[in-house]
PDB file of all heavy atoms in Angstrom:
ATOM      1  N   ARG A 229      -4.214 -13.293   6.091  1.00  0.00           N
ATOM      2  CA  ARG A 229      -4.471 -12.087   5.321  1.00  0.00           C
ATOM      3  C   ARG A 229      -3.314 -11.098   5.484  1.00  0.00           C
ATOM      4  O   ARG A 229      -3.473  -9.986   6.027  1.00  0.00           O
ATOM      5  CB  ARG A 229      -5.785 -11.472   5.766  1.00  0.00           C
ATOM      6  CG  ARG A 229      -6.965 -12.424   5.623  1.00  0.00           C
ATOM      7  CD  ARG A 229      -7.552 -12.364   4.250  1.00  0.00           C
ATOM      8  NE  ARG A 229      -8.334 -11.152   4.064  1.00  0.00           N
ATOM      9  CZ  ARG A 229      -8.829 -10.784   2.894  1.00  0.00           C
ATOM     10  NH1 ARG A 229      -8.629 -11.507   1.809  1.00  0.00           N
ATOM     11  NH2 ARG A 229      -9.532  -9.679   2.798  1.00  0.00           N
ATOM     12  N   ALA A 231       0.223  -9.418   3.546  1.00  0.00           N
ATOM     13  CA  ALA A 231       1.002  -9.165   2.341  1.00  0.00           C
ATOM     14  C   ALA A 231       2.362  -8.593   2.705  1.00  0.00           C
ATOM     15  O   ALA A 231       2.524  -7.952   3.746  1.00  0.00           O
ATOM     16  CB  ALA A 231       0.259  -8.186   1.434  1.00  0.00           C
ATOM     17  N   TYR A 233       5.436  -6.191   0.880  1.00  0.00           N
ATOM     18  CA  TYR A 233       5.775  -5.286  -0.214  1.00  0.00           C
ATOM     19  C   TYR A 233       7.244  -4.899  -0.116  1.00  0.00           C
ATOM     20  O   TYR A 233       7.801  -4.799   0.981  1.00  0.00           O
ATOM     21  CB  TYR A 233       4.936  -4.002  -0.144  1.00  0.00           C
ATOM     22  CG  TYR A 233       3.453  -4.215  -0.243  1.00  0.00           C
ATOM     23  CD1 TYR A 233       2.685  -4.460   0.895  1.00  0.00           C
ATOM     24  CD2 TYR A 233       2.803  -4.169  -1.473  1.00  0.00           C
ATOM     25  CE1 TYR A 233       1.319  -4.649   0.812  1.00  0.00           C
ATOM     26  CE2 TYR A 233       1.424  -4.356  -1.558  1.00  0.00           C
ATOM     27  CZ  TYR A 233       0.700  -4.599  -0.408  1.00  0.00           C
ATOM     28  OH  TYR A 233      -0.661  -4.793  -0.496  1.00  0.00           O
ATOM     29  N   GLN A 235       9.821  -1.773  -1.343  1.00  0.00           N
ATOM     30  CA  GLN A 235       9.846  -0.414  -1.867  1.00  0.00           C
ATOM     31  C   GLN A 235      11.278   0.084  -1.980  1.00  0.00           C
ATOM     32  O   GLN A 235      12.046   0.021  -1.019  1.00  0.00           O
ATOM     33  CB  GLN A 235       9.033   0.543  -0.987  1.00  0.00           C
ATOM     34  CG  GLN A 235       8.893   1.925  -1.613  1.00  0.00           C
ATOM     35  CD  GLN A 235       8.080   2.893  -0.777  1.00  0.00           C
ATOM     36  OE1 GLN A 235       8.113   2.841   0.455  1.00  0.00           O
ATOM     37  NE2 GLN A 235       7.346   3.785  -1.427  1.00  0.00           N
ATOM     38  N   LYS A 239      10.216   5.129  -5.468  1.00  0.00           N
ATOM     39  CA  LYS A 239       9.342   4.252  -6.252  1.00  0.00           C
ATOM     40  C   LYS A 239       8.126   3.827  -5.441  1.00  0.00           C
ATOM     41  O   LYS A 239       8.125   3.878  -4.213  1.00  0.00           O
ATOM     42  CB  LYS A 239      10.110   2.997  -6.700  1.00  0.00           C
ATOM     43  CG  LYS A 239      11.314   3.291  -7.564  1.00  0.00           C
ATOM     44  CD  LYS A 239      10.925   3.868  -8.905  1.00  0.00           C
ATOM     45  CE  LYS A 239      12.107   4.010  -9.828  1.00  0.00           C
ATOM     46  NZ  LYS A 239      11.716   4.599 -11.146  1.00  0.00           N
ATOM     47  N   ALA A 240       7.105   3.368  -6.151  1.00  0.00           N
ATOM     48  CA  ALA A 240       5.926   2.832  -5.494  1.00  0.00           C
ATOM     49  C   ALA A 240       6.232   1.450  -4.914  1.00  0.00           C
ATOM     50  O   ALA A 240       7.132   0.752  -5.406  1.00  0.00           O
ATOM     51  CB  ALA A 240       4.774   2.728  -6.486  1.00  0.00           C
ATOM     52  N   PRO A 241       5.515   1.046  -3.889  1.00  0.00           N
ATOM     53  CA  PRO A 241       5.685  -0.323  -3.376  1.00  0.00           C
ATOM     54  C   PRO A 241       5.337  -1.359  -4.435  1.00  0.00           C
ATOM     55  O   PRO A 241       4.531  -1.114  -5.323  1.00  0.00           O
ATOM     56  CB  PRO A 241       4.693  -0.375  -2.210  1.00  0.00           C
ATOM     57  CG  PRO A 241       4.488   1.045  -1.816  1.00  0.00           C
ATOM     58  CD  PRO A 241       4.567   1.824  -3.098  1.00  0.00           C
ATOM     59  N   LEU A 243       4.159  -5.454  -4.728  1.00  0.00           N
ATOM     60  CA  LEU A 243       3.657  -6.609  -4.002  1.00  0.00           C
ATOM     61  C   LEU A 243       4.546  -7.817  -4.284  1.00  0.00           C
ATOM     62  O   LEU A 243       4.739  -8.194  -5.430  1.00  0.00           O
ATOM     63  CB  LEU A 243       2.212  -6.905  -4.412  1.00  0.00           C
ATOM     64  CG  LEU A 243       1.543  -8.115  -3.767  1.00  0.00           C
ATOM     65  CD1 LEU A 243       1.414  -7.932  -2.256  1.00  0.00           C
ATOM     66  CD2 LEU A 243       0.173  -8.370  -4.399  1.00  0.00           C
ATOM     67  N   CYS A 246       1.364 -12.445  -1.246  1.00  0.00           N
ATOM     68  CA  CYS A 246       0.013 -12.255  -0.746  1.00  0.00           C
ATOM     69  C   CYS A 246      -0.427 -13.501   0.000  1.00  0.00           C
ATOM     70  O   CYS A 246       0.205 -14.557  -0.120  1.00  0.00           O
ATOM     71  CB  CYS A 246      -0.936 -11.928  -1.891  1.00  0.00           C
ATOM     72  SG  CYS A 246      -1.025 -13.187  -3.154  1.00  0.00           S
ATOM     73  N   ALA A 247      -1.486 -13.359   0.762  1.00  0.00           N
ATOM     74  CA  ALA A 247      -2.012 -14.480   1.546  1.00  0.00           C
ATOM     75  C   ALA A 247      -0.905 -15.178   2.337  1.00  0.00           C
ATOM     76  O   ALA A 247      -0.861 -16.403   2.415  1.00  0.00           O
ATOM     77  CB  ALA A 247      -2.750 -15.463   0.646  1.00  0.00           C
ATOM     78  N   GLN A 252       3.914 -13.594  -5.654  1.00  0.00           N
ATOM     79  CA  GLN A 252       3.328 -12.941  -6.817  1.00  0.00           C
ATOM     80  C   GLN A 252       4.074 -13.374  -8.077  1.00  0.00           C
ATOM     81  O   GLN A 252       5.284 -13.651  -8.054  1.00  0.00           O
ATOM     82  CB  GLN A 252       3.440 -11.423  -6.681  1.00  0.00           C
ATOM     83  CG  GLN A 252       2.270 -10.765  -5.994  1.00  0.00           C
ATOM     84  CD  GLN A 252       0.967 -10.887  -6.747  1.00  0.00           C
ATOM     85  OE1 GLN A 252       0.182 -11.787  -6.477  1.00  0.00           O
ATOM     86  NE2 GLN A 252       0.721  -9.993  -7.682  1.00  0.00           N
ATOM     87  N   TYR A 284       7.777  -3.932   3.745  1.00  0.00           N
ATOM     88  CA  TYR A 284       6.634  -3.670   4.623  1.00  0.00           C
ATOM     89  C   TYR A 284       5.693  -4.863   4.639  1.00  0.00           C
ATOM     90  O   TYR A 284       5.402  -5.445   3.583  1.00  0.00           O
ATOM     91  CB  TYR A 284       5.823  -2.468   4.131  1.00  0.00           C
ATOM     92  CG  TYR A 284       6.539  -1.139   4.162  1.00  0.00           C
ATOM     93  CD1 TYR A 284       7.235  -0.675   3.059  1.00  0.00           C
ATOM     94  CD2 TYR A 284       6.509  -0.336   5.308  1.00  0.00           C
ATOM     95  CE1 TYR A 284       7.892   0.543   3.080  1.00  0.00           C
ATOM     96  CE2 TYR A 284       7.154   0.899   5.334  1.00  0.00           C
ATOM     97  CZ  TYR A 284       7.847   1.316   4.215  1.00  0.00           C
ATOM     98  OH  TYR A 284       8.485   2.541   4.236  1.00  0.00           O
ATOM     99  N   PHE A 291     -10.536  -3.612   8.155  1.00  0.00           N
ATOM    100  CA  PHE A 291     -10.300  -2.193   7.942  1.00  0.00           C
ATOM    101  C   PHE A 291     -10.301  -1.503   9.307  1.00  0.00           C
ATOM    102  O   PHE A 291     -11.077  -1.874  10.190  1.00  0.00           O
ATOM    103  CB  PHE A 291     -11.375  -1.596   7.049  1.00  0.00           C
ATOM    104  CG  PHE A 291     -11.240  -2.007   5.618  1.00  0.00           C
ATOM    105  CD1 PHE A 291     -12.197  -2.806   5.009  1.00  0.00           C
ATOM    106  CD2 PHE A 291     -10.131  -1.625   4.863  1.00  0.00           C
ATOM    107  CE1 PHE A 291     -12.070  -3.200   3.689  1.00  0.00           C
ATOM    108  CE2 PHE A 291      -9.987  -2.021   3.547  1.00  0.00           C
ATOM    109  CZ  PHE A 291     -10.960  -2.817   2.960  1.00  0.00           C
ATOM    110  N   TRP A 293      -6.934  -1.099   7.083  1.00  0.00           N
ATOM    111  CA  TRP A 293      -5.723  -1.846   6.808  1.00  0.00           C
ATOM    112  C   TRP A 293      -4.552  -1.132   7.467  1.00  0.00           C
ATOM    113  O   TRP A 293      -4.540   0.110   7.534  1.00  0.00           O
ATOM    114  CB  TRP A 293      -5.495  -1.938   5.307  1.00  0.00           C
ATOM    115  CG  TRP A 293      -6.381  -2.934   4.636  1.00  0.00           C
ATOM    116  CD1 TRP A 293      -7.419  -3.637   5.181  1.00  0.00           C
ATOM    117  CD2 TRP A 293      -6.325  -3.330   3.267  1.00  0.00           C
ATOM    118  NE1 TRP A 293      -7.985  -4.450   4.243  1.00  0.00           N
ATOM    119  CE2 TRP A 293      -7.344  -4.290   3.050  1.00  0.00           C
ATOM    120  CE3 TRP A 293      -5.505  -2.967   2.189  1.00  0.00           C
ATOM    121  CZ2 TRP A 293      -7.557  -4.885   1.820  1.00  0.00           C
ATOM    122  CZ3 TRP A 293      -5.711  -3.557   0.959  1.00  0.00           C
ATOM    123  CH2 TRP A 293      -6.734  -4.511   0.785  1.00  0.00           C
TER     124      TRP A 293
ATOM    125  N   HIS B 217      -7.865   1.646  -3.702  1.00  0.00           N
ATOM    126  CA  HIS B 217      -7.416   2.236  -2.449  1.00  0.00           C
ATOM    127  C   HIS B 217      -6.555   3.473  -2.702  1.00  0.00           C
ATOM    128  O   HIS B 217      -5.953   3.614  -3.771  1.00  0.00           O
ATOM    129  CB  HIS B 217      -6.550   1.239  -1.667  1.00  0.00           C
ATOM    130  CG  HIS B 217      -7.261   0.007  -1.239  1.00  0.00           C
ATOM    131  ND1 HIS B 217      -7.457  -0.300   0.102  1.00  0.00           N
ATOM    132  CD2 HIS B 217      -7.827  -0.998  -1.951  1.00  0.00           C
ATOM    133  CE1 HIS B 217      -8.102  -1.456   0.182  1.00  0.00           C
ATOM    134  NE2 HIS B 217      -8.344  -1.899  -1.050  1.00  0.00           N
ATOM    135  N   GLN B 221       2.301   8.318   1.964  1.00  0.00           N
ATOM    136  CA  GLN B 221       3.608   8.147   2.587  1.00  0.00           C
ATOM    137  C   GLN B 221       4.211   9.521   2.827  1.00  0.00           C
ATOM    138  O   GLN B 221       4.576  10.226   1.887  1.00  0.00           O
ATOM    139  CB  GLN B 221       4.526   7.306   1.697  1.00  0.00           C
ATOM    140  CG  GLN B 221       5.838   6.937   2.337  1.00  0.00           C
ATOM    141  CD  GLN B 221       6.594   5.891   1.524  1.00  0.00           C
ATOM    142  OE1 GLN B 221       6.530   5.876   0.296  1.00  0.00           O
ATOM    143  NE2 GLN B 221       7.282   4.987   2.209  1.00  0.00           N
ATOM    144  N   GLY B 226       6.860   5.692   6.727  1.00  0.00           N
ATOM    145  CA  GLY B 226       6.319   4.460   6.186  1.00  0.00           C
ATOM    146  C   GLY B 226       4.989   4.663   5.474  1.00  0.00           C
ATOM    147  O   GLY B 226       4.511   5.784   5.295  1.00  0.00           O
ATOM    148  N   TRP B 229      -2.235   3.638   5.157  1.00  0.00           N
ATOM    149  CA  TRP B 229      -3.463   3.396   4.399  1.00  0.00           C
ATOM    150  C   TRP B 229      -4.465   4.522   4.649  1.00  0.00           C
ATOM    151  O   TRP B 229      -4.645   4.955   5.803  1.00  0.00           O
ATOM    152  CB  TRP B 229      -4.060   2.050   4.812  1.00  0.00           C
ATOM    153  CG  TRP B 229      -5.333   1.718   4.117  1.00  0.00           C
ATOM    154  CD1 TRP B 229      -5.475   1.171   2.879  1.00  0.00           C
ATOM    155  CD2 TRP B 229      -6.651   1.935   4.616  1.00  0.00           C
ATOM    156  NE1 TRP B 229      -6.811   1.023   2.576  1.00  0.00           N
ATOM    157  CE2 TRP B 229      -7.554   1.484   3.629  1.00  0.00           C
ATOM    158  CE3 TRP B 229      -7.178   2.456   5.797  1.00  0.00           C
ATOM    159  CZ2 TRP B 229      -8.935   1.542   3.783  1.00  0.00           C
ATOM    160  CZ3 TRP B 229      -8.553   2.516   5.967  1.00  0.00           C
ATOM    161  CH2 TRP B 229      -9.414   2.069   4.955  1.00  0.00           C
ATOM    162  N   TYR B 239     -19.388   0.549  -1.118  1.00  0.00           N
ATOM    163  CA  TYR B 239     -18.724   0.435   0.173  1.00  0.00           C
ATOM    164  C   TYR B 239     -17.499   1.336   0.192  1.00  0.00           C
ATOM    165  O   TYR B 239     -16.705   1.351  -0.766  1.00  0.00           O
ATOM    166  CB  TYR B 239     -18.283  -1.010   0.437  1.00  0.00           C
ATOM    167  CG  TYR B 239     -17.483  -1.169   1.706  1.00  0.00           C
ATOM    168  CD1 TYR B 239     -18.117  -1.266   2.941  1.00  0.00           C
ATOM    169  CD2 TYR B 239     -16.096  -1.208   1.682  1.00  0.00           C
ATOM    170  CE1 TYR B 239     -17.386  -1.394   4.114  1.00  0.00           C
ATOM    171  CE2 TYR B 239     -15.359  -1.338   2.845  1.00  0.00           C
ATOM    172  CZ  TYR B 239     -16.015  -1.429   4.063  1.00  0.00           C
ATOM    173  OH  TYR B 239     -15.278  -1.550   5.221  1.00  0.00           O
ATOM    174  N   ASN B 241     -14.468   2.978   3.117  1.00  0.00           N
ATOM    175  CA  ASN B 241     -13.935   2.984   4.475  1.00  0.00           C
ATOM    176  C   ASN B 241     -12.720   3.890   4.505  1.00  0.00           C
ATOM    177  O   ASN B 241     -12.036   4.051   3.490  1.00  0.00           O
ATOM    178  CB  ASN B 241     -13.577   1.563   4.919  1.00  0.00           C
ATOM    179  CG  ASN B 241     -13.595   1.395   6.428  1.00  0.00           C
ATOM    180  OD1 ASN B 241     -13.101   2.250   7.159  1.00  0.00           O
ATOM    181  ND2 ASN B 241     -14.173   0.315   6.912  1.00  0.00           N
ATOM    182  N   TYR B 277      -0.598   7.553  -3.183  1.00  0.00           N
ATOM    183  CA  TYR B 277      -0.638   6.509  -4.194  1.00  0.00           C
ATOM    184  C   TYR B 277      -2.065   5.971  -4.323  1.00  0.00           C
ATOM    185  O   TYR B 277      -2.731   5.732  -3.307  1.00  0.00           O
ATOM    186  CB  TYR B 277       0.239   5.328  -3.791  1.00  0.00           C
ATOM    187  CG  TYR B 277       1.721   5.594  -3.689  1.00  0.00           C
ATOM    188  CD1 TYR B 277       2.329   5.788  -2.454  1.00  0.00           C
ATOM    189  CD2 TYR B 277       2.530   5.611  -4.824  1.00  0.00           C
ATOM    190  CE1 TYR B 277       3.689   6.003  -2.341  1.00  0.00           C
ATOM    191  CE2 TYR B 277       3.904   5.823  -4.721  1.00  0.00           C
ATOM    192  CZ  TYR B 277       4.469   6.013  -3.477  1.00  0.00           C
ATOM    193  OH  TYR B 277       5.824   6.222  -3.374  1.00  0.00           O
ATOM    194  N   ARG B 282      -5.914  -6.968  -5.710  1.00  0.00           N
ATOM    195  CA  ARG B 282      -5.408  -8.079  -6.510  1.00  0.00           C
ATOM    196  C   ARG B 282      -6.513  -8.914  -7.147  1.00  0.00           C
ATOM    197  O   ARG B 282      -6.341  -9.442  -8.249  1.00  0.00           O
ATOM    198  CB  ARG B 282      -4.531  -8.969  -5.621  1.00  0.00           C
ATOM    199  CG  ARG B 282      -3.885 -10.148  -6.285  1.00  0.00           C
ATOM    200  CD  ARG B 282      -2.983 -10.866  -5.288  1.00  0.00           C
ATOM    201  NE  ARG B 282      -3.694 -11.321  -4.109  1.00  0.00           N
ATOM    202  CZ  ARG B 282      -4.376 -12.451  -4.029  1.00  0.00           C
ATOM    203  NH1 ARG B 282      -4.447 -13.244  -5.091  1.00  0.00           N
ATOM    204  NH2 ARG B 282      -4.990 -12.791  -2.917  1.00  0.00           N
ATOM    205  N   SER B 287     -12.226  -8.168  -1.412  1.00  0.00           N
ATOM    206  CA  SER B 287     -11.106  -7.409  -0.862  1.00  0.00           C
ATOM    207  C   SER B 287      -9.835  -8.243  -0.856  1.00  0.00           C
ATOM    208  O   SER B 287      -9.842  -9.397  -0.454  1.00  0.00           O
ATOM    209  CB  SER B 287     -11.452  -6.977   0.558  1.00  0.00           C
ATOM    210  OG  SER B 287     -10.406  -6.232   1.116  1.00  0.00           O
ATOM    211  N   ALA B 288      -8.751  -7.645  -1.301  1.00  0.00           N
ATOM    212  CA  ALA B 288      -7.479  -8.376  -1.362  1.00  0.00           C
ATOM    213  C   ALA B 288      -6.330  -7.385  -1.391  1.00  0.00           C
ATOM    214  O   ALA B 288      -6.530  -6.178  -1.440  1.00  0.00           O
ATOM    215  CB  ALA B 288      -7.435  -9.270  -2.586  1.00  0.00           C
ATOM    216  N   GLU B 289      -5.143  -7.922  -1.365  1.00  0.00           N
ATOM    217  CA  GLU B 289      -3.946  -7.084  -1.330  1.00  0.00           C
ATOM    218  C   GLU B 289      -3.834  -6.220  -2.586  1.00  0.00           C
ATOM    219  O   GLU B 289      -4.589  -6.376  -3.537  1.00  0.00           O
ATOM    220  CB  GLU B 289      -2.706  -7.985  -1.198  1.00  0.00           C
ATOM    221  CG  GLU B 289      -2.742  -8.908  -0.003  1.00  0.00           C
ATOM    222  CD  GLU B 289      -3.476 -10.219  -0.291  1.00  0.00           C
ATOM    223  OE1 GLU B 289      -4.132 -10.325  -1.349  1.00  0.00           O
ATOM    224  OE2 GLU B 289      -3.387 -11.127   0.549  1.00  0.00           O
ATOM    225  N   LEU B 290      -2.844  -5.323  -2.582  1.00  0.00           N
ATOM    226  CA  LEU B 290      -2.711  -4.315  -3.628  1.00  0.00           C
ATOM    227  C   LEU B 290      -1.613  -4.710  -4.597  1.00  0.00           C
ATOM    228  O   LEU B 290      -0.430  -4.667  -4.253  1.00  0.00           O
ATOM    229  CB  LEU B 290      -2.427  -2.963  -2.987  1.00  0.00           C
ATOM    230  CG  LEU B 290      -3.457  -2.544  -1.934  1.00  0.00           C
ATOM    231  CD1 LEU B 290      -3.044  -1.273  -1.231  1.00  0.00           C
ATOM    232  CD2 LEU B 290      -4.828  -2.393  -2.581  1.00  0.00           C
ATOM    233  N   TRP B 293       0.237  -0.321  -8.293  1.00  0.00           N
ATOM    234  CA  TRP B 293       0.261   1.005  -7.680  1.00  0.00           C
ATOM    235  C   TRP B 293       0.606   2.052  -8.733  1.00  0.00           C
ATOM    236  O   TRP B 293       1.354   1.764  -9.677  1.00  0.00           O
ATOM    237  CB  TRP B 293       1.318   1.068  -6.579  1.00  0.00           C
ATOM    238  CG  TRP B 293       1.119   0.131  -5.421  1.00  0.00           C
ATOM    239  CD1 TRP B 293       1.047  -1.240  -5.470  1.00  0.00           C
ATOM    240  CD2 TRP B 293       0.997   0.497  -4.050  1.00  0.00           C
ATOM    241  NE1 TRP B 293       0.884  -1.749  -4.197  1.00  0.00           N
ATOM    242  CE2 TRP B 293       0.859  -0.708  -3.308  1.00  0.00           C
ATOM    243  CE3 TRP B 293       1.016   1.711  -3.361  1.00  0.00           C
ATOM    244  CZ2 TRP B 293       0.712  -0.724  -1.911  1.00  0.00           C
ATOM    245  CZ3 TRP B 293       0.894   1.702  -1.981  1.00  0.00           C
ATOM    246  CH2 TRP B 293       0.735   0.490  -1.273  1.00  0.00           C
ATOM    247  N   GLY B 294       0.099   3.259  -8.535  1.00  0.00           N
ATOM    248  CA  GLY B 294       0.534   4.368  -9.368  1.00  0.00           C
ATOM    249  C   GLY B 294       1.906   4.854  -8.929  1.00  0.00           C
ATOM    250  O   GLY B 294       2.495   4.343  -7.979  1.00  0.00           O
TER     251      GLY B 294
END
Side-chain angles (χ1 to χ4, degrees):
Chain A
R229 302 274 285 172
Y233 300 88
Q235 188 179 34
K239 300 293 187 181
L243 178 63
C246 59
Q252 270 295 95
Y284 295 92
F291 287 114
W293 284 7
Chain B
H217 297 244
Q221 187 169 34
W229 179 82
Y239 175 82
N241 205 317
Y277 295 101
R282 182 176 58 84
S287 181
E289 304 86 349
L290 305 174
W293 298 59

